[in-house]
Amino acid sequence: RGSQIIQLEVSDILKNKSKYEWYFTVGTPIYNHYRGLIHSHTSASDGHGSYNDAYYLARDKAKLDFFAITEHSNLLDNHLDCTINDASPSLKWNDLIKSRDLFNVKDKFIALNGFEMTYPFKVKNPIGHINVFNSNGFVSSELPNMSLEKFYDLLYEQDDLIGQFNHPGKKFGTFNDFKYSDHGDYVMSLIEVGNGYSKDMSKNIRSHDMYQLALDNGWHLAPTCNQDNHRVDFGIANEFRTVILATDLNKDALYDSLRNMRVYATEDKNIKIDYNINNLPMGSTIKNTSKLNFNISAIDSDENDKINLSLLDIGGELLVVSQFTLYADCRKGNRPSFFDALEPENADALYEKFVTLCREKGVKVETGSFGAHMRVDLENDGPFTVVLDSRDFFKESSNERREN
């Protein structure tokens, strides 16, 4: 049981050796939360600092679990002579591989690399930029006939590549307004909803509207936040983080989770969020959407952060009022259905049991009258509201999820 890695090594009659590894999990996986960044640039393209500077700061100063350097492919040397499977003509690419391997520390820090497919943005209707991971080489947008669709096709034809839509928007491009592509959807797993290295978070790019547009058009994507470093502030620029839920801290486990969208984006460097539906983790395919059970937790270890303290810690009180709203089924007709709601006598007992348990924990509890018409006055202090929006699960066009 647990995480397994298989390594196969073969050699031909000339004693040329080739090695292949793959990763899988036996039994129910237990996911850890690993924090890092997967978009950055050094002086090898249009940034500052060396490869070693980037990995050193990310590992030893920012204390990240993983970090990826993703240079603009069209700014690497001999970029027109390289292919998606072979970048040996590029000295900069090969130096990146050497630096990556130098900074890897087993079970402590994973140095990653990729490339950014960079379509021109100082044009009318720019296409956009895409990060690609797990390739042995790279290609450039300056290759003849390298349209966005042909790029999707190229990635689709390879094994196990992972794509990320970078900083979508009017400035850099919206990927043809996220026109849906079967081949693109197969390889594109990620989209940046946060991008930038400014300490003033309001000056960074936030692309939640682009994420919604992509989902509406049928794409299946997980959100990321990256610093897109161009200065020598790799990992330490601000608190943008991409969090990967993986069984182990190694490249294969991280890439498996990126590919399967077990990822979330955060602007808090150490918040821990678990979000399951019907006991399925982020990125899962939900086949039966008739009943959805949400299990959500958020833990922040910073004393001064807003959601770190419990109700008991702050001496808070509870107003517990029974209501039908949460079980109303409005999918048919003009009136809500009571069909799935618990019978009144059992519901009353469950309600009283919940109140008793809260009081046993030392919480001061006020209650309403079960089944009665009440006028409830509420004054929100904050307010702090969590919204669970399940609209997509009740739309025929959104019930289908990509098989992982």
Side-chain angles (χ1 to χ4, degrees):
R1 298 178 64 84
S3 302
Q4 308 293 327
I5 297 178
I6 294 179
Q7 184 181 96
L8 177 66
E9 184 174 300
V10 295
S11 59
D12 58 22
I13 59 175
L14 299 177
K15 297 184 179 181
N16 297 312
K17 293 183 178 181
S18 180
K19 183 185 296 184
Y20 183 68
E21 292 184 356
W22 68 94
Y23 154 94
F24 65 94
T25 301
V26 177
T28 302
I30 298 175
Y31 295 116
N32 302 306
H33 294 238
Y34 297 115
R35 294 164 177 80
L37 298 164
I38 53 174
H39 188 179
S40 68
H41 304 275
T42 72
S43 58
S45 58
D46 65 342
H48 294 84
S50 67
Y51 296 143
N52 288 1
D53 291 334
Y55 287 132
Y56 166 74
L57 286 174
R59 185 187 70 181
D60 297 338
K61 297 300 181 181
K63 305 298 183 182
L64 300 182
D65 298 312
F66 60 89
F67 185 80
I69 297 175
T70 54
E71 304 291 7
H72 297 284
S73 58
N74 60 309
L75 298 181
L76 295 177
D77 56 304
N78 298 319
H79 60 95
L80 295 179
D81 298 324
C82 295
T83 70
I84 196 71
N85 292 313
D86 181 12
S88 56
S90 172
L91 294 177
K92 290 182 177 180
W93 176 268
N94 288 283
D95 286 343
L96 173 57
I97 302 303
K98 293 176 184 177
S99 179
R100 177 200 70 185
D101 294 343
L102 178 65
F103 279 86
N104 270 313
V105 179
K106 184 179 180 181
D107 299 326
K108 296 293 184 181
F109 177 78
I110 302 302
L112 302 171
N113 70 288
F115 70 91
E116 185 169 17
M117 184 66 163
T118 309
Y119 289 97
F121 68 92
K122 294 182 179 180
V123 297
K124 184 178 181 181
N125 299 321
I127 293 174
H129 299 178
I130 291 175
N131 271 0
V132 177
F133 303 97
N134 205 30
S135 66
N136 291 321
F138 65 88
V139 293
S140 167
S141 62
E142 297 178 18
L143 288 170
N145 303 316
M146 187 53 73
S147 66
L148 181 59
E149 280 295 331
K150 287 189 179 297
F151 185 55
Y152 289 151
D153 292 342
L154 175 66
L155 299 183
Y156 177 81
E157 292 165 359
Q158 316 307 312
D159 291 327
D160 298 329
L161 299 191
I162 304 160
Q164 172 181 269
F165 291 116
N166 291 345
H167 42 60
K170 291 183 179 180
K171 179 178 180 179
F172 294 103
T174 61
F175 309 96
N176 297 334
D177 293 327
F178 283 103
K179 180 182 177 182
Y180 184 76
S181 161
D182 284 331
H183 286 181
D185 193 31
Y186 183 83
V187 72
M188 301 300 298
S189 300
L190 310 166
I191 181 172
E192 285 185 332
V193 298
N195 172 287
Y197 47 81
S198 176
K199 289 192 180 297
D200 182 351
M201 302 298 273
S202 66
K203 295 181 179 180
N204 295 316
I205 298 173
R206 292 184 173 92
S207 306
H208 303 95
D209 57 335
M210 292 288 100
Y211 186 23
Q212 187 64 59
L213 174 62
L215 296 179
D216 289 345
N217 287 354
W219 293 87
H220 301 85
L221 303 165
T224 67
C225 268
N226 298 299
Q227 294 177 9
D228 192 5
N229 307 90
H230 285 71
R231 305 169 182 169
V232 188
D233 55 4
F234 304 95
I236 61 176
N238 55 41
E239 295 200 15
F240 271 169
R241 296 291 187 271
T242 292
V243 184
I244 301 176
L245 275 62
T247 54
D248 299 278
L249 186 54
N250 59 58
K251 185 183 75 171
D252 291 326
L254 293 178
Y255 279 166
D256 179 73
S257 290
L258 287 177
R259 190 176 300 108
N260 290 291
M261 299 173 288
R262 292 189 291 270
V263 182
Y264 62 88
T266 176
E267 298 182 17
D268 185 311
K269 66 182 180 181
N270 57 11
I271 194 170
K272 179 181 179 181
I273 298 175
D274 286 293
Y275 185 105
N276 296 332
I277 300 177
N278 296 352
N279 294 320
L280 298 172
M282 302 175 191
S284 299
T285 298
I286 301 176
K287 295 182 179 180
N288 182 3
T289 61
S290 60
K291 187 174 183 179
L292 302 174
N293 296 314
F294 293 79
N295 187 352
I296 304 169
S297 70
I299 301 173
D300 196 334
S301 58
D302 290 332
E303 182 178 348
N304 295 324
D305 279 2
K306 295 184 175 71
I307 59 173
N308 186 47
L309 302 178
S310 72
L311 191 68
L312 290 173
D313 292 328
I314 64 172
E317 303 176 5
L318 284 178
L319 174 61
V320 181
V321 179
S322 64
Q323 60 171 324
F324 163 66
T325 307
L326 299 179
Y327 248 107
D329 187 344
C330 300
R331 287 177 290 175
K332 294 182 180 180
N334 297 322
R335 293 180 295 178
S337 169
F338 290 74
F339 184 79
D340 286 330
L342 199 61
E343 299 85 356
E345 57 273 16
N346 292 330
D348 189 13
L350 183 62
Y351 168 73
E352 292 296 340
K353 182 178 181 180
F354 175 74
V355 171
T356 299
L357 290 173
C358 290
R359 286 173 173 159
E360 289 177 354
K361 293 291 185 181
V363 179
K364 183 178 180 181
V365 181
E366 300 293 340
T367 64
S369 299
F370 185 88
H373 178 80
M374 292 171 284
R375 294 178 61 89
V376 179
D377 292 326
L378 173 66
E379 181 177 317
N380 268 340
D381 183 6
F384 183 90
T385 305
V386 177
V387 178
L388 304 181
D389 188 347
S390 58
R391 290 175 300 173
D392 286 344
F393 297 111
F394 299 115
K395 295 179 182 178
E396 186 67 27
S397 61
S398 298
N399 279 345
E400 297 180 1
R401 295 289 185 265
R402 182 178 69 186
E403 294 291 337
N404 291 334

